Amino acid sequence: MTRTDIAEAWAQHCAEGWPRFSSPHEGQLMTLDTVISGCAVFYLDTPEGLDEQRIGILKDCIDDLDDLTSELDGDSQTYFLRLRQLGERLLATAIRP
């Protein structure tokens, strides 16, 4: 996974507007979006990449998304699955041989 891959995934995510949906977990989903987005910006702005703390946070966010996205449908599910994929791509940059 390269910086270009992350930059493209980030640009695609930014191009999509916040989905319209109703869920008791909307606040939590918004927080997950904010945190993963923050990790993407940090990664793209920092030559060293992600630190251990952000790696742990990303793992937790992906686990939370796994728990919450199954109950969503349509555009909202697509949005959060794409967010999850962005998180996975960020984690892939942290895997060192």
Side-chain angles (χ1 to χ4, degrees):
M1 194 62 46
T2 67
R3 285 193 184 274
T4 301
D5 295 328
I6 298 299
E8 288 172 1
W10 173 238
Q12 180 184 10
H13 185 70
C14 289
E16 299 295 325
W18 180 257
R20 291 185 156 210
F21 67 102
S22 178
S23 169
H25 305 292
E26 188 171 0
Q28 186 178 3
L29 289 164
M30 187 177 289
T31 299
L32 293 169
D33 184 63
T34 301
V35 172
I36 293 173
S37 295
C39 287
V41 170
F42 181 88
Y43 173 80
L44 293 170
D45 288 346
T46 308
E48 297 83 31
L50 298 174
D51 55 24
E52 292 300 317
Q53 181 180 5
R54 284 177 181 82
I55 291 167
I57 289 169
L58 275 172
K59 288 178 182 177
D60 290 342
C61 287
I62 289 170
D63 288 344
D64 289 346
L65 282 172
D66 287 343
D67 292 339
L68 298 173
T69 53
S70 63
E71 69 184 50
L72 300 173
D73 59 6
D75 291 340
S76 60
Q77 188 174 56
T78 300
Y79 181 91
F80 290 105
L81 290 175
R82 186 180 51 254
L83 176 66
R84 185 189 188 288
Q85 186 177 46
L86 174 60
E88 292 235 335
R89 288 178 177 188
L90 285 163
L91 283 179
T93 68
I95 298 172
R96 293 172 176 82

